Amino acid sequence: MEYFDIMSQACKDVALPFNEDTYNKFSQYKDMIKVWNEKINLTAIVDDEQIFKKHFIDCIKIFKFSPLKQAKNVIDIGTGAGFPGIPIKIMKQELNLILLDSLNKRINFLNEVVSKINLNNVETIHGRAEDFSRQPKYREQVDVAVSRAVANLAVLSELCIPYVKVGGYFVAMKGPSVDDEIKDGKRAISILGGKIDDIIKINIEDSDLDHNLVIIKKVKETPKAYPRKAGTASKKPLK
Ligand code: SAM
């Protein structure tokens, strides 16, 4: 229970309840990250305290965007070892979550996590983000798309915005370069049917990390031409 207090404080900061059961889920998840990280590359952060702060608390702070608390369907694009999707799901177990990543070994890890810590209504998808948002089953279906550390905003918008229903949101977790990324990404966001709604500064207890949530509201449908073929968004970002 070493990190119970800092986790509890972070949850208080986003006005969400926290208890022993929630803590145990995070703790089991942390243990699995450490074990699997010896076989496959999941994260460069391996120290317990850093996993709690830089992964779990950082991701919990996404609830500073409070409409996420009401979301029924969420997709995490380029989720890697499950960030921010798994922490979101542990905090709001009733929501339906899709975790998508192009690396199958990470998806295998996530399937194991979902089963071990008893998370229901989680779908894992192995593939490129650009390939699934063309399918009617996934296109413009979620209330909120989230993503951390996958690509710059111009590229990421093409990967994420097509999944969001009109009226929903795309929340991008960004570091200190947020202003430049917004400047470069504005046109792409608009073409894809989004509009920047807010930028929320995140503070992480006992840390000087400069993190931000870029909140993009979906205001109109994404034109049929997007996303372009897998790989095109990063080679030729919409600018
Ligand atoms: N979101 C996690 C985090 O914050 O720790 C992982 C970040 S990791 C740096 C980027 C992840 O995005 C990788 O797991 C990679 O496989 C995935 N990725 C990159 N481009 C992708 C794409 N076009 N479609 C799906 N996944 C993608």
Side-chain angles (χ1 to χ4, degrees):
M1 301 292 274
E2 197 180 346
Y3 301 100
F4 187 92
D5 288 346
I6 56 163
M7 290 287 283
S8 174
Q9 202 183 331
C11 293
K12 209 169 175 186
D13 186 43
V14 295
L16 281 179
F18 188 70
N19 58 33
E20 240 175 75
D21 178 55
T22 320
Y23 181 81
N24 288 336
K25 283 195 163 32
F26 276 110
S27 190
Q28 276 179 279
Y29 179 29
K30 181 262 299 169
D31 290 342
M32 291 183 75
I33 291 172
K34 290 175 71 171
V35 170
W36 278 66
N37 213 28
E38 286 173 14
K39 299 181 283 182
I40 64 166
N41 176 20
L42 284 176
T43 172
I45 297 171
V46 289
D47 164 75
D48 283 17
E49 184 179 347
Q50 298 301 314
I51 292 177
F52 273 98
K53 284 188 181 166
K54 293 192 176 159
H55 283 321
F56 299 165
I57 291 180
D58 187 38
C59 292
I60 285 171
K61 293 290 174 120
I62 196 171
F63 285 103
K64 277 275 170 191
F65 172 63
S66 55
L68 181 58
K69 295 175 189 167
Q70 271 77 55
K72 291 195 170 66
N73 303 293
V74 172
I75 189 166
D76 180 7
I77 301 291
T79 184
F83 302 118
I86 296 277
I88 290 174
K89 177 73 182 170
I90 295 177
M91 295 309 300
K92 291 296 281 180
Q93 288 181 44
E94 61 276 25
L95 61 73
N96 299 311
L97 175 68
I98 303 173
L99 299 168
L100 185 147
D101 202 279
S102 53
L103 271 185
N104 199 33
K105 51 192 181 170
R106 292 185 176 154
I107 293 296
N108 292 339
F109 165 72
L110 292 169
N111 286 334
E112 192 80 12
V113 170
V114 164
S115 137
K116 277 260 165 65
I117 64 174
N118 291 318
L119 300 175
N120 299 317
N121 301 320
V122 180
E123 179 181 357
T124 54
I125 302 180
H126 166 225
R128 302 281 296 248
E130 303 94 308
D131 292 331
F132 286 85
S133 59
R134 294 203 152 274
Q135 300 180 17
K137 185 179 171 204
Y138 297 104
R139 192 170 182 90
E140 309 202 309
Q141 295 297 317
V142 299
D143 303 308
V144 183
V146 296
S147 192
R148 184 182 85 159
V150 173
N152 66 47
L153 206 50
V155 174
L156 196 57
S157 293
E158 191 166 344
L159 305 189
C160 296
I161 293 177
Y163 287 95
V164 180
K165 48 174 91 146
V166 174
Y169 294 91
F170 162 40
V171 181
M173 299 177 69
K174 287 289 166 192
S177 62
V178 65
D179 291 339
D180 288 341
E181 286 202 37
I182 287 174
K183 212 159 67 189
D184 287 350
K186 247 191 179 141
R187 189 163 168 268
I189 293 166
S190 161
I191 290 172
L192 293 157
K195 183 174 170 288
I196 293 185
D197 196 52
D198 202 0
I199 295 150
I200 302 174
K201 277 221 159 297
I202 292 306
N203 82 298
I204 297 165
E205 288 80 5
D206 298 332
S207 129
D208 51 10
L209 293 172
D210 178 6
H211 285 186
N212 303 276
L213 303 177
V214 181
I215 312 298
I216 293 165
K217 182 157 189 171
K218 180 110 173 214
V219 289
K220 56 181 192 318
E221 274 181 27
T222 300
K224 299 271 177 290
Y226 302 103
R228 293 164 294 168
K229 209 160 79 42
T232 311
S234 54
K235 272 189 232 122
K236 291 187 193 157
L238 292 170
K239 279 193 184 170

